[in-house]
Amino acid sequence: PRQPAALVNAGSLHAQRGHLPRAISYWRRALAMNPGLTEASRNLAVALQATGRAEDARQVLQQAARFAPGVEK
């Protein structure tokens, strides 16, 4: 897929099938194209946490907060 929304969906499909490394890759690609995709950020953070990468998950959530509406910058 080449569109951010399609990449998010592909990541979700791989996560549902238990392929977290591939899902993580799709969500990272989607966020590289559109850093404001909250679904991709949330999914990526959960997957990173599930794979023992808590610090990476925290960084993803911090990045997502920069794009969240109503969050003071």
Side-chain angles (χ1 to χ4, degrees):
R2 295 176 189 225
Q3 298 297 319
L7 291 166
V8 172
N9 291 338
S12 297
L13 179 64
H14 285 288
Q16 289 171 1
R17 293 180 177 173
H19 303 176
L20 289 181
R22 180 160 276 187
I24 288 168
S25 174
Y26 277 107
W27 292 323
R28 285 196 186 280
R29 287 174 49 202
L31 288 168
M33 291 180 187
N34 182 350
L37 289 171
T38 55
E39 182 181 0
S41 295
R42 181 185 63 244
N43 292 347
L44 177 57
V46 169
L48 289 168
Q49 180 72 30
T51 58
R53 296 163 61 188
E55 180 58 27
D56 291 340
R58 186 185 65 75
Q59 291 175 6
V60 167
L61 294 175
Q62 284 181 333
Q63 176 79 10
R66 293 185 201 141
F67 294 94
V71 173
E72 291 187 30
K73 301 189 175 38

